[in-house]
Amino acid sequence: MSSNRDIDALIDMMAKLPGLGPRSARRAVLHMIRKRALVLTPLSEVMATVAATARECLNCGNVGTADICDICNDPKRENGQMCIVEDVADLWAMERSGVFKGRYHVLGGTLSALDSIGPDELRIPRLMSRIGPEAVQEVILALNATIDGQTTAHYIADQLEGQVSVTSLAQGVPIGGELDYLDDGTITAALNARRPV
């Protein structure tokens, strides 16, 4: 029996994380062991705390440590705008930009007939119940430009027709992007969304 079974178990667990394979996990674990007091011990304490306290916001689906997240509790966010995203990672990406100052709604995925994911498997009914009470005037669809993402966007837009203004993020050439490196779909979206200069 290996005397390193706890270390091997840690490496195996780390290798399951997105972006880490077995080699990266071994390097990370070795670094943490070498810096035990600075990294490993504090990390284990923080992970234990997060494991005990992390939960989904009952209102929007964000992840935090309270039943209602800080964004939903912030009265400054009551500006009539609600941004719809597929998952929490998308919400965090929007927050990193620091541009959007409204509220969010995390769907928890996209509609997918192949995977038997309908509106009730997502947080679409909860979204519909928030529109009136939260005085939402504009819904911004910030869903990925995939077939399932666009199908979900069209479904939500149909459900909200006549209730609120529905907009979506612009799609096309990214800042700093070169046409030669873009796929046909991105070039098509950029050309169709052209505007006067």
Side-chain angles (χ1 to χ4, degrees):
M1 183 171 268
S2 171
S3 62
N4 295 330
R5 75 171 176 258
D6 291 338
I7 294 171
D8 291 341
L10 178 58
I11 292 168
D12 289 343
M13 291 302 296
M14 294 285 291
K16 293 178 182 177
L17 295 173
L20 289 181
R23 286 176 37 187
S24 298
R26 277 193 297 275
R27 284 195 302 270
V29 168
L30 185 57
H31 174 76
M32 288 189 295
I33 291 171
R34 286 180 179 154
K35 306 279 186 178
R36 186 176 317 203
L38 293 174
V39 179
L40 186 58
T41 302
L43 178 63
S44 66
E45 291 168 1
V46 169
M47 289 179 75
T49 301
V50 170
T53 61
R55 58 185 53 119
E56 284 186 356
C57 174
L58 299 175
N59 198 38
C60 73
N62 189 13
V63 174
T65 57
D67 287 337
I68 304 298
C69 73
D70 292 342
I71 294 172
C72 288
N73 271 330
D74 185 351
K76 294 177 190 163
R77 296 283 190 146
E78 295 174 357
N79 65 2
Q81 292 182 322
M82 183 179 289
C83 183
I84 312 303
V85 294
E86 289 180 28
D87 58 38
V88 174
D90 298 332
L91 185 156
W92 289 356
M94 293 289 291
E95 281 296 286
R96 270 195 320 269
S97 75
V99 175
F100 182 69
K101 302 298 182 192
R103 294 210 169 147
Y104 293 93
H105 189 82
V106 180
L107 294 175
T110 56
L111 297 172
S112 174
L114 290 174
D115 298 322
S116 300
I117 299 174
D120 292 335
E121 283 72 45
L122 303 176
R123 291 188 190 91
I124 294 176
R126 176 70 186 130
L127 166 64
M128 299 305 163
S129 71
R130 292 181 64 194
I131 299 299
E134 295 188 32
V136 175
Q137 298 164 6
E138 179 187 10
V139 167
I140 302 165
L141 298 171
L143 304 177
N144 293 324
T146 61
I147 292 173
D148 289 343
Q150 295 309 297
T151 300
T152 306
H154 287 296
Y155 177 83
I156 292 171
D158 287 346
Q159 297 299 304
L160 294 173
E161 188 174 355
Q163 297 180 52
V164 294
S165 170
V166 179
T167 59
S168 66
L169 296 182
Q171 298 173 351
V173 180
I175 294 174
E178 297 179 29
L179 291 178
D180 189 38
Y181 294 102
L182 301 177
D183 63 271
D184 296 344
T186 301
I187 292 173
T188 302
L191 189 59
N192 290 338
R194 66 190 182 278
R195 54 188 164 82
V197 178

